[in-house]
Amino acid sequence: MPMFDVLITNGLVVDGTGQPAFAADVAINGERIVAVGDLAQAEAGRTIDATGMVVSPGFIDIHTHSDLTLLVEPFGMSKIRQGVTTEVSGNCGYSPYPVAPDHADELRELLSSGLHGESVDWVWSDLAGYRDFAAERGLGMNVAPLVGHGAVRGAVVGFEDRRATADDVAGMQRLVSESMEQGAFGLSTGLTLTPSAYGDTEEIVALAEAMSHFPGRFYTSHTRLWAGWHIKGVAEAIDIGRRANVPVQVSHMAVNDPPYWGQADTVIAVCEDAVTDGFDVTFDVYPYAASSSGFAQCIPTWAQSGGTQALLQRLRNPNERARIRADMLEEGLFRGWPWLWDRLQVSAAHTREVSEFEGMSFEQAGEKMGLEPIDAALTLMERDEAKLRIIFYYRTEEDMKSFLRHPMGMMGSDGLAIQASGPLGAGRPHPRSYGAHSRVLGLYVRDTAVLTMEEAVHKMSGQVATRLGMSDRGVIAAGNIADIAIFDPDTVADRASFEDPHQYAVGVPYVLVNGEVVVAEGEHTGALPGRVLAA
């Protein structure tokens, strides 16, 4: 037998295809798996005994916002300790490229809210420059980048609420094409998030068409999630993909509108009908009955025209603020559902003045401030410089499990790669950043059998790799890149909670990225073998 660099012995291989697990050893040379089978007589520079453990592909998180956090904290502790080896970034229309000099400040302000005051020296203008910057800093995990419609629109149209002209659309198409040439895996939109929300269907179709001749690229959408849009938003995403002739990924599938709770199967049927017609559509979901976002998503889009500073000025203008308040109550999510204020919780504040309210609902904040919940919310938003982040408890467990179980559904955390200590450990963020993948393996595989182990690993690796067009990742097989997670099926679990989110998952003692051991016996080795991948 030859000498290998790394040999993983005595493990139960769940290979990422969805097929039954099997006992096998896994041998690695350099960055690739070179043999899978009975390798009992082999020798290696390093041997990992995986007795009692599952050996699986490293997980590929198809929906993340780690574009900048990995430049601040390159190890990606909250994710790598769950076995996540690749972050798909640039989601919801937010990517840190392309950057136009005239609108760079607005883009930085939009994307930097998760850094809690930490700064990144933006020296790039496009995806190629971002890739070079990340390589120079070093990465502990891989990044598969998308290009965001919000960034593209911001670079050409700006952050104003206006319709794109024909020249604007042509300029945006050029930027999308350039990003595809530089290796972007697809185009994302955030159609309730500005400035992406200012684009109409025709604009998005035109931009998706610009990438249609790049093989394997796909359109992924944070759909228009306004009240009453749980069906229409998904239908619009599919219509855009069909017209542009590109595959569609519906982001963080959920039913967020209380009157329609329990209708997950109705939403899924829209996707199933498209597949029956021969169209390629899938979706992702994270395993919680709560979401998280900036509170700006609850504020009318007209009030955000011009960017974060323009919104802040409107909040400080009594007449404009009164108009915002009225629109939120009469047209927005809270129309007829005032009890939702008790289900919106302050997650992360950017000013010390507001941080004391972290963990409180707006109803509780209102009681403390002597204000109606909506007035407390708008006051905190103003005091937090229009950057306030919240958690929304407006989903149901049963809807989530329906999406998670479905064959079209795959796992995407909608979280960030962060660290419990230091500046990225501030606030009370959604626990999905620390626990989404481990929660699936512990709660929804071992404890409640919502999924089998093989199904869960497939949804977190091989199925995602297929959507991304990756032919050599996501499956344990000879010739593939050695992104590998080794976990204990009896102990793997999430520990992060909404009350105490900055807690790492347990039960994943070994993780390899591009053939290099980055987690050993549950501790990070300090290695930074990751890279920004290209489609």
Side-chain angles (χ1 to χ4, degrees):
M1 295 289 287
M3 181 76 168
F4 299 116
D5 293 337
V6 179
L7 183 63
I8 303 168
T9 62
N10 305 317
L12 183 69
V13 174
V14 178
D15 67 4
T17 65
Q19 297 302 306
F22 57 93
D25 306 317
V26 179
I28 299 160
N29 276 335
E31 66 176 16
R32 293 191 180 270
I33 299 168
V34 293
V36 179
D38 182 358
L39 306 172
Q41 304 305 312
E43 296 183 358
R46 178 171 192 162
T47 298
I48 299 172
D49 183 359
T51 299
M53 304 284 185
V54 170
V55 180
S56 81
F59 306 133
I60 306 169
D61 190 336
I62 195 168
H63 192 106
T64 86
H65 295 279
S66 301
D67 315 68
L68 297 181
T69 60
L70 280 170
L71 302 183
V72 172
E73 192 281 281
F75 302 113
M77 287 290 195
S78 68
K79 294 296 193 70
I80 201 74
R81 290 178 64 153
Q82 296 180 69
V84 176
T85 55
T86 299
E87 295 274 275
V88 181
S89 64
N91 278 285
C92 296
Y94 290 153
S95 63
Y97 46 79
V99 183
D102 292 346
H103 301 291
D105 290 343
E106 294 101 315
L107 185 63
R108 289 191 193 101
E109 196 154 28
L110 273 180
L111 268 68
S112 297
S113 63
L115 299 185
H116 300 286
E118 283 295 291
S119 61
V120 174
D121 187 13
W122 290 47
V123 297
W124 62 85
S125 61
D126 57 11
L127 172 53
Y130 172 84
R131 180 181 287 109
D132 291 343
F133 184 83
E136 183 178 340
R137 295 288 290 268
L139 292 171
M141 59 203 311
N142 300 311
V143 173
L146 305 168
V147 64
H149 170 236
V152 170
R153 197 176 212 276
V156 175
V157 181
F159 290 74
E160 301 294 330
D161 181 3
R162 71 169 178 84
R163 186 182 181 88
T165 66
D167 286 344
D168 290 334
V169 171
M172 289 189 282
Q173 286 179 315
R174 284 193 294 272
L175 290 180
V176 170
S177 292
E178 287 173 8
S179 295
M180 297 303 132
E181 290 167 357
Q182 293 173 6
F185 285 79
L187 169 70
S188 77
T189 54
L191 296 177
T192 57
L193 306 168
T194 61
S196 187
Y198 301 139
D200 59 20
T201 302
E202 298 303 316
E203 176 180 318
I204 310 303
V205 169
L207 302 191
E209 286 175 339
M211 70 171 178
S212 61
H213 59 283
F214 291 90
R217 314 307 166 87
F218 62 98
Y219 169 61
T220 183
S221 183
H222 167 137
T223 63
R224 301 188 202 274
L225 299 172
W226 297 308
W229 275 73
H230 66 297
I231 298 292
K232 290 186 289 185
V234 173
E236 181 191 29
I238 293 171
D239 179 55
I240 288 167
R242 196 190 302 270
R243 291 170 60 188
N245 194 31
V246 295
V248 166
Q249 178 78 13
V250 181
S251 296
H252 39 58
M253 190 74 101
V255 179
N256 297 325
D257 200 354
Y260 304 100
W261 283 344
Q263 295 191 20
D265 290 345
T266 304
V267 181
I268 290 170
V270 178
C271 300
E272 290 176 329
D273 289 346
V275 170
T276 299
D277 290 342
F279 187 65
D280 185 355
V281 57
T282 49
F283 56 82
D284 53 77
V285 58
Y286 52 89
Y288 299 88
S291 70
S292 182
S293 183
F295 184 61
Q297 190 169 191
C298 298
I299 290 177
T301 55
W302 64 262
Q304 300 178 61
S305 179
T308 304
Q309 289 305 310
L311 169 59
L312 184 59
Q313 292 308 310
R314 292 186 182 101
L315 289 170
R316 289 172 174 166
N317 181 303
N319 293 332
E320 295 283 4
R321 181 153 161 170
R323 183 184 168 198
I324 290 169
R325 184 186 193 279
D327 277 12
M328 290 172 67
L329 294 177
E330 295 169 11
E331 303 293 336
L333 178 68
F334 309 102
R335 178 193 63 213
W337 298 92
W339 52 269
L340 279 177
W341 291 110
D342 191 41
R343 291 173 174 254
L344 273 63
Q345 175 183 299
V346 177
S347 167
H350 294 81
T351 63
R352 186 169 298 178
E353 183 181 11
V354 178
S355 62
E356 65 177 297
F357 293 90
E358 289 174 349
M360 290 188 190
S361 71
F362 284 132
E363 186 171 284
Q364 292 169 326
E367 290 173 357
K368 181 173 182 177
M369 300 167 74
L371 297 171
E372 291 294 317
I374 188 169
D375 296 310
L378 293 174
T379 298
L380 292 176
M381 185 67 163
E382 177 194 345
R383 292 178 182 175
D384 207 45
E385 300 175 352
K387 297 176 182 177
L388 188 68
R389 297 193 65 81
I390 62 172
I391 291 173
F392 302 76
Y393 294 94
Y394 64 170
R395 298 176 176 176
T396 71
E397 179 84 0
E398 287 309 310
D399 281 337
M400 181 278 295
K401 288 193 287 189
S402 293
F403 293 126
L404 185 64
R405 275 191 298 256
H406 197 275
M408 283 187 226
M410 60 190 78
M411 251 291 297
S413 72
D414 198 13
L416 304 91
I418 53 179
Q419 188 168 342
S421 60
L424 299 187
R428 292 177 63 169
H430 195 297
R432 62 195 180 189
S433 293
Y434 287 90
H437 291 76
S438 296
R439 182 176 177 84
V440 168
L441 295 173
L443 178 59
Y444 295 111
V445 172
R446 181 185 60 239
D447 297 343
T448 60
V450 172
L451 299 169
T452 67
M453 182 69 73
E454 290 85 352
E455 288 171 336
V457 169
H458 177 58
K459 287 175 177 290
M460 298 192 294
S461 57
Q463 186 178 1
V464 186
T466 298
R467 167 50 76 221
L468 293 167
M470 294 177 173
S471 60
D472 60 356
R473 295 181 193 268
V475 173
I476 299 287
N480 281 0
I481 300 292
D483 291 341
I484 295 174
I486 303 173
F487 60 90
D488 183 342
D490 295 328
T491 63
V492 63
D494 62 313
R495 297 172 61 206
S497 66
F498 288 98
E499 295 73 27
D500 188 7
H502 294 290
Q503 297 191 80
Y504 297 121
V506 295
V508 187
Y510 289 92
V511 182
L512 290 81
V513 174
N514 297 323
E516 192 165 343
V517 178
V518 295
V519 175
E521 298 181 3
E523 298 298 327
H524 204 285
T525 65
L528 297 173
R531 52 182 177 264
V532 178
L533 307 174

